[in-house]
Structures are given as structure tokens and as C-alpha cells.
Amino acid sequence: MDHDNQTWIQTFILAGFTISETLRPLAFMGTLCVYLLTLAGNLFIIILVKTDNGLSTPMYFFISVLSFLELWYVSTTVPTLLHTLLHGSSPISSATCFTQLYVFHSLGMTECYLLCIMALDRYLAICHPLHYHAFMSSQVQQGLAGATWLAGFSGAVVPASLTATLPYCLKEIAHYFCDLAPLMQLACVDPGWHAQVHGAVIGVATGCNFVVILGLYAGILRAVLKLPSAASRAKAFSTCSSHMTVVALFYASAFTVYVSSPGSRSEGMDKLIALVYALLTPFLNPIIYTLRNKEVKEAVRRVTDRIKTFQRGPL
């Protein structure tokens, strides 16, 4: 398309999912329920960690930071998903679209760094238990958590700003939120080098962190196998299993969309895969971190007992 005939597009159209009119209310209600449960589950973890002294450890501090991140992460895309499910194709202003693009990728890259820090925390706890609390002081925890947010929101500036400065000739985005690849398909010019820059930036954030996580868990595995008893090995593995599950869910879906070749997937598959890391993973994280977790169950019991004692009042 001739660049000279391009006009500045003020509004894009989010195509969303192609669903029959009879199924729209059901899809909307199902998604809304998952969204509300996601908010409730992550808020539950944040409040529980803040109110129970038994969870005042670096591991649960980082889990609460992850839950806080997930509240914002899921709230970045689900409102537009709900709108397209209920009303079909929906308009979105270019400013809102590019803001959503930036915030979504900032939070996604922040989660990459945070998952890496959480793996480092488990590595220090298992491989260097005598020095663990010295390494992971309260100041260090807060500094590491802040650094993940700074790195994530800084790293997303490049791909978001490059995408925002492209000239656009088409309006309909084949997605339920503003993402890099669907937006670049609407450009009047060949966005080839933009895609290469995006791939490099996102590849460094995801790939390098993933390699570090694998290296840390390799060290954990070697240390655990040297433990003298099966019970101690099982206990050490149990503290890592939840985090490994979350890492597998997040990276498997993210790599499929942002690293693999788009031509290898059928049309519309990216939208389905995006549901995994943008909605399903934030929904499952509270369940994964609390299911069969004795420390969390005991914390719930202690908080519940305190609430009951407070309601009864002084005798």
C-alpha cells in the first residue's frame, strides 16, 4: 500500500473471537467468573502473607509480589476481552491501544524477571541454607522486587514505541487486545526490522531469564540428590514444584507466541494461546501455590482463629 496515501488512524477495531450470538452470554459469564476468581485468589495470597507472621519469609514475599503483578496483568487485557465477547468487534482508540500494548508487555517482562528471582531464592535456600537469610535480607528482597519492575517497564519501551510510530493503513486487529504481531500486520510499510528488534528485546528478557532459571534448578537438583534421606529430598522438591509449574505454564505459552514462527500456527491460534498466559496462568497461580501447601493451610487456620477470637470479643 502506498505510504503517501496513509492517514493517521485514530481508532482501531478489536476483532475478538468469532462466536455465535447464542454463545456470547455464556462465554462472557464464564470469562467474567474466571476473572473475578483470579482477582480474589491473588488478593487472598497478598492479604494472607501480610497478615500472618508464619509466612514472613522471602519465598512468600516474592509470591505476594507475583500475585500483585498478576492483578494488574490480568486486568490489562480481560476488560477488552469481555467487551468483545459481549458486543463483538469493538473500537479502541489508538492511544488506549498503544498504552495497553506497553503495559501488557511491561508486566509480562517483569514477570519473566520475577520468576527468575524466585528461582534464585529457592537456589539460595536449598544450596546455601546457612547464609540464606543473610543473602535474602528484607532490604535485598525489596531491592530485587523493585529491580524486576524497573527492568520490565524499561525493556518494554523499545518494542512499544517502535510499534506506536509505525504508519497504519488498516484498522481491524485480529485479536482481543493490542499485541505486537497483530498490530504490525496493519502497517503500511514492511515491519520486518521492527519485528527483529521486538524479537531481540523480548528474546533477551525471556530467553536469558529462562536459561538462568534452568541453571539454578540444575544446581538445586544436584544439591537435593546429595541429601541423605528421601524425606528431606521430598521436602526440598516440594518447595520448588509450585514454582516450576508456574514457570512451565508461562514460558511454554509465551515462547509459542513470541518466539516460534507465526506461519507454523493456524489462524486464530495466537488468541487461544494468549488466553493461557494472559488469563489462565494468573487464575491458576493462587491455586498452584496454595494447593497441598501445609504452611498456607496453617496460616489460613491461624488467621481464621484470630478473626473468630476478635468476633467473640473479650469474655
Side-chain angles (χ1 to χ4, degrees):
M1 187 174 294
D2 188 0
H3 187 184
D4 294 334
N5 294 331
Q6 178 263 337
T7 57
W8 179 256
I9 291 179
Q10 300 292 331
T11 304
F12 291 103
I13 304 295
L14 292 173
F17 288 97
T18 304
I19 303 175
S20 65
E21 291 299 325
T22 55
L23 291 179
R24 282 193 185 280
L26 183 61
F28 173 83
M29 290 304 301
T31 303
L32 179 61
C33 288
V34 172
Y35 176 52
L36 294 177
L37 288 172
T38 301
L39 297 180
N42 284 287
L43 278 172
F44 168 76
I45 288 181
I46 294 170
I47 294 171
L48 190 64
V49 172
K50 292 294 184 183
T51 56
D52 187 80
N53 293 330
L55 300 182
S56 298
T57 64
M59 181 179 77
Y60 286 106
F61 168 76
F62 290 121
I63 289 176
S64 68
V65 174
L66 178 64
S67 292
F68 178 74
L69 186 150
E70 298 289 31
L71 290 176
W72 293 99
Y73 191 58
V74 74
S75 297
T76 304
T77 60
V78 171
T80 53
L81 171 60
L82 291 170
H83 197 273
T84 56
L85 287 175
L86 192 61
H87 302 288
S89 298
S90 303
I92 181 171
S93 70
S94 58
T96 302
C97 182
F98 293 128
T99 301
Q100 183 185 54
L101 173 73
Y102 171 67
V103 173
F104 176 74
H105 281 277
S106 296
L107 293 171
M109 294 173 74
T110 300
E111 183 160 349
C112 290
Y113 289 111
L114 184 58
L115 291 175
C116 185
I117 294 299
M118 293 171 76
L120 174 64
D121 171 71
R122 291 298 82 211
Y123 173 82
L124 293 175
I126 294 173
C127 299
H128 302 281
L130 297 179
H131 305 287
Y132 173 58
H133 289 289
F135 287 144
M136 279 294 175
S137 64
S138 177
Q139 292 82 1
V140 171
Q141 294 172 44
Q142 294 172 8
L144 289 173
T148 62
W149 286 80
L150 179 62
F153 276 78
S154 299
V157 169
V158 174
S161 59
L162 284 178
T163 306
T165 54
L166 279 171
Y168 292 95
C169 294
L170 301 175
K171 298 179 64 173
E172 185 168 290
I173 302 172
H175 214 305
Y176 63 86
F177 68 94
C178 294
D179 204 0
L180 291 171
L183 271 170
M184 287 191 294
Q185 292 173 0
L186 311 182
C188 303
V189 297
D190 181 10
W193 78 272
H194 292 76
Q196 292 176 358
V197 173
H198 298 162
V201 173
I202 296 175
V204 168
T206 57
C208 291
N209 279 292
F210 186 64
V211 170
V212 172
I213 290 172
L214 291 179
L216 291 170
Y217 273 109
I220 290 172
L221 180 61
R222 287 195 300 268
V224 169
L225 293 177
K226 293 178 182 178
L227 294 176
S229 66
S232 59
R233 290 193 293 271
K235 182 178 180 180
F237 275 127
S238 68
T239 64
C240 301
S241 59
S242 298
H243 182 254
M244 288 189 291
T245 303
V246 171
V247 167
L249 274 173
F250 181 82
Y251 275 97
S253 54
F255 275 146
T256 302
V257 172
Y258 296 107
V259 178
S260 65
S261 172
S264 63
R265 300 184 297 274
S266 61
E267 185 178 355
M269 184 58 66
D270 281 359
K271 288 185 284 187
L272 293 174
I273 299 173
L275 286 176
V276 176
Y277 61 83
L279 179 60
L280 184 61
T281 301
F283 169 70
L284 291 177
N285 281 356
I287 301 173
I288 293 170
Y289 281 117
T290 58
L291 191 65
R292 299 177 62 186
N293 188 316
K294 292 182 180 180
E295 291 178 333
V296 172
K297 291 180 179 179
E298 290 173 359
V300 171
R301 179 182 54 78
R302 289 192 295 267
V303 172
T304 303
D305 290 343
R306 289 207 304 269
I307 293 174
K308 289 180 180 179
T309 302
F310 176 78
Q311 288 177 339
R312 285 197 298 265
L315 297 176

